[in-house]
Amino acid sequence: MNMNPTKPYLIRSIYDWCIDSGFTPFVSVKADPKLDVPQECVRNGEIIFNISARAVQGLNINNESITFSARFNGISRDLDIPLDAVKGVFAKEVNQGIAFTSDDEEAQDKIANKQSNNSTQDSLILQTKASSKPKLRIIK
């Protein structure tokens, strides 16, 4: 079974929530040097875009990327942001939204969870072996 990634759906839902609530949707993007973004707007390896209808034109959030046109220092630019670079989406006014972990962090979390689950299972097996005497009573 082919399962669609959840990230584009979550981004679209937070965007819709922002618009419905009258908030300004912002998207945080990891500014990789290979990514074609206005480098003068990059701070600490991150760039934050206002993706409201007043700030951008032709916004499209599909399963692979976020595309839009916007003006930076008076110059119009067409941007195509891969979803892998998106760190989060949030409402400017209330600073609520969702942050995404990078693939490296997800892989580390999976390894840590697997190790944690294995130790939990081992302790459950030990507890079961230690108390192998049945604890049931017959009631008539």
Side-chain angles (χ1 to χ4, degrees):
M1 176 181 205
N2 188 14
M3 193 163 79
N4 291 331
T6 58
K7 194 172 192 177
Y9 295 91
L10 294 170
I11 293 170
R12 285 189 291 265
S13 67
I14 296 297
Y15 175 84
D16 289 342
W17 169 77
C18 287
I19 299 304
D20 291 347
S21 301
F23 299 140
T24 309
F26 275 46
V27 65
S28 169
V29 175
K30 179 181 176 187
D32 188 274
K34 298 177 279 186
L35 194 60
D36 183 27
V37 296
Q39 293 300 315
E40 65 273 12
C41 300
V42 174
R43 303 284 182 265
N44 299 323
E46 174 184 46
I47 185 166
I48 298 175
F49 295 106
N50 174 349
I51 57 171
S52 69
R54 293 181 62 156
V56 302
Q57 293 179 345
L59 177 67
N60 182 26
I61 304 171
N62 62 41
N63 288 352
E64 288 82 38
S65 65
I66 299 174
T67 58
F68 57 90
S69 296
R71 297 182 76 77
F72 300 92
N73 295 325
I75 300 168
S76 182
R77 303 230 358 217
D78 293 329
L79 297 175
D80 186 359
I81 311 295
L83 290 189
D84 291 342
V86 175
K87 293 175 64 175
V89 60
F90 60 96
K92 174 189 172 194
E93 293 80 2
V94 293
N95 201 28
Q96 289 184 358
I98 189 166
F100 302 104
T101 58
S102 71
D103 291 338
D104 294 339
E105 289 173 354
E106 285 180 26
Q108 291 172 354
D109 288 345
K110 285 180 183 177
I111 291 169
N113 286 338
K114 187 174 183 178
Q115 290 172 345
S116 172
N117 288 342
N118 285 346
S119 65
T120 303
Q121 288 175 348
D122 291 345
S123 67
L124 288 174
I125 290 169
L126 289 175
Q127 288 175 0
T128 305
K129 286 181 181 176
S131 63
S132 60
K133 200 177 197 184
K135 295 188 171 91
L136 297 174
R137 292 185 315 168
I138 299 174
I139 302 175
K140 294 183 179 182

